[in-house]
Amino acid sequence: MSKQKLLITGGAGFIGGNFVHYMVDKYSDYDVVNLDLLTYAGDLTKHRQIEDKENYRFVQADIADREAIFALFEQEKFDYVVHFAAESHVDRSITDPAVFVRTNVMGTQVLLDASRKIGLTKFLHVSTDEVYGELDFDPSVFFTEETPLQPNSPYSASKASSDLLVRAYYETYGLPMNITRCSNNYGPYHFPEKLIPLTISKVLNEQKVPVYGDGKNIRDWLHVYDHCAAIDLVLHEGVSGEVYNVGGHNERTNLEVVKTIIHTLDKSEDLIKFVADRLGHDKRYAIDPTKLEKLGWKPTYTFETGIAQTIQWYTANAAWWEQILSGEYRK
Ligand SMILES: Cc1cn([C@H]2C[C@H](O)[C@@H](COP(=O)(O)OP(=O)(O)O[C@H]3O[C@H](CO)[C@@H](O)[C@H](O)[C@H]3O)O2)c(=O)[nH]c1=O
């Protein structure tokens, strides 16, 4: 049998980057192409260990560049596409929504058109629990795959729009697809603008940690390696046309997360600084992953083991995030 060709978009980012490693290491019989534009959050140093491997190749291109994407698909005739490439930071979407629509919505549409043209085994669209909007603080209520889409931020609205396009290409053209919707990820190579890596970097540098509002908003944290395993499973075992939620029942208030990091690093809670709240700040996200568990997925990290490992990684790899911070994110 000839090698399977897998396109991973956004493979220079956090989750996509971890997934590139996961697939290159696990499947030597897959040819993996990592397609990324290398925006401010893209970084290839994380792939030094695999860049010479025979089953890995990097291509720099914009997913919204129709000509470049169609040429790549014609040449490579991919069997699978796993689509991570997206603008992902909620705060940035509040100040500059347009780039979120361009990349997340229009870029996804270009990929869908190119996929439809060559015919694929599967298009897996990596999405987010934020498309469901927010939950209140009742701990017995979770997002399920049936929860209506009610995105609140420009970011989540752009992701919900792309989810609907993927669904439409399945319904209209029969494009084989899955959508996964995951809760907040954390782990190695998380860009230091997001809560956990930002907090670790600030605490290690003894700087104030900005906590939005009263810090009582709740997120459901999942280690990125568990997310990678979930995507692998859905790619190969997911029923085409279905949505799968990914989450690990690790709900924490932001303040709890920040305090855990401060205590683990043996620093003072005086580093916490309450700042103005995010506009339209969603109160709580929490996922019911039953449908995915029925496929055979189970998270392997508790929040305690995962956050300890992550703090250790950031401490040992300070050069990686310090270099990013010193370049002010290549704004
Ligand atoms: C950056 C920052 C964040 N926060 C708060 C806002 C949120 O309630 C929580 C987590 O913020 P963020 O790390 O920006 O992540 P959040 O807005 O939840 O969104 C993340 O998780 C989503 C999945 O739920 C992904 O789809 C997004 O791409 C990803 O960015 O911490 C602070 O209190 N202070 C901060 O400096």
Side-chain angles (χ1 to χ4, degrees), residues 87-91 127-130 155 159 182-185 190 193-199 209-213 215 217-221 254 258 275 278 281-283 285:
E87 291 290 338
S88 71
H89 194 42
V90 174
D91 293 329
S127 190
T128 168
D129 58 359
E130 295 195 16
Y155 159 70
K159 289 299 287 186
C182 193
S183 60
N184 284 59
N185 279 212
H190 202 181
E193 65 185 349
K194 307 280 167 64
L195 179 69
I196 287 184
L198 179 96
T199 301
V209 179
V211 172
Y212 299 164
N217 301 61
I218 290 175
R219 296 293 182 265
D220 177 4
W221 294 96
N254 295 336
V258 168
V275 299
R278 173 184 278 173
H281 196 172
D282 286 338
K283 284 200 275 293
Y285 306 141

Side-chain angles (χ1 to χ4, degrees), residues 40-290:
Y40 78 96
D43 141 70
L44 288 178
T45 61
K46 57 172 73 95
H47 296 320
R48 291 243 163 89
Q49 285 168 319
I50 58 165
E51 66 192 7
D52 293 330
K53 288 209 173 190
E54 252 178 48
N55 64 333
Y56 171 75
R57 194 157 78 81
F58 174 70
V59 174
Q60 183 172 8
D62 179 353
I63 56 168
D65 180 344
R66 203 170 186 86
E67 213 176 299
I69 296 303
F70 270 66
L72 180 70
F73 274 64
E74 275 303 322
Q75 184 190 317
E76 299 287 346
K77 302 269 192 275
F78 297 112
D79 299 288
Y80 296 102
V81 173
V82 180
H83 175 35
F84 294 89
E87 291 290 338
S88 71
H89 194 42
V90 174
D91 293 329
R92 283 175 181 267
S93 82
I94 294 167
T95 49
D96 183 13
V99 66
F100 284 72
V101 174
R102 184 184 180 278
T103 299
N104 300 359
V105 185
M106 292 159 74
T108 299
Q109 195 223 336
V110 169
L111 290 171
L112 288 168
D113 281 341
S115 299
R116 185 161 85 84
K117 183 148 185 240
I118 62 164
L120 286 174
T121 305
K122 188 175 278 179
F123 186 101
L124 192 152
H125 178 61
V126 181
S127 190
T128 168
D129 58 359
E130 295 195 16
V131 298
Y132 298 121
E134 67 173 352
L135 296 166
D136 67 22
F137 292 112
D138 175 353
S140 66
V141 181
F142 303 95
F143 295 134
T144 73
E145 289 79 2
E146 274 69 50
T147 305
L149 304 189
Q150 279 187 320
N152 291 320
S153 71
Y155 159 70
S156 53
S158 71
K159 289 299 287 186
S161 308
S162 58
D163 287 20
L164 292 178
L165 278 174
V166 176
R167 189 190 118 80
Y169 276 62
Y170 169 76
E171 294 290 340
T172 306
Y173 308 115
L175 184 78
M177 67 80 169
N178 286 120
I179 297 171
T180 54
R181 295 187 179 133
C182 193
S183 60
N184 284 59
N185 279 212
Y186 67 99
Y189 294 114
H190 202 181
F191 198 77
E193 65 185 349
K194 307 280 167 64
L195 179 69
I196 287 184
L198 179 96
T199 301
I200 300 173
S201 66
K202 295 272 186 209
V203 174
L204 284 171
N205 284 333
E206 308 233 12
Q207 292 168 347
K208 294 282 185 191
V209 179
V211 172
Y212 299 164
D214 59 10
K216 291 192 179 141
N217 301 61
I218 290 175
R219 296 293 182 265
D220 177 4
W221 294 96
L222 185 76
H223 196 284
V224 66
Y225 297 165
D226 284 327
H227 189 188
C228 290
I231 291 171
D232 179 17
L233 182 66
V234 173
L235 184 66
H236 296 105
E237 307 290 338
V239 177
S240 181
E242 294 290 309
V243 175
Y244 294 89
N245 283 348
V246 190
H249 288 305
N250 274 310
E251 288 180 48
R252 299 284 184 285
T253 66
N254 295 336
L255 206 49
E256 282 168 336
V257 169
V258 168
K259 284 185 180 176
T260 300
I261 295 169
I262 288 176
H263 296 159
T264 307
L265 289 169
D266 227 359
K267 297 280 160 67
S268 158
E269 287 185 14
D270 292 346
L271 287 176
I272 294 171
K273 184 179 179 202
F274 291 96
V275 299
D277 209 355
R278 173 184 278 173
L279 293 179
H281 196 172
D282 286 338
K283 284 200 275 293
R284 171 175 171 256
Y285 306 141
I287 281 272
D288 175 357
T290 307

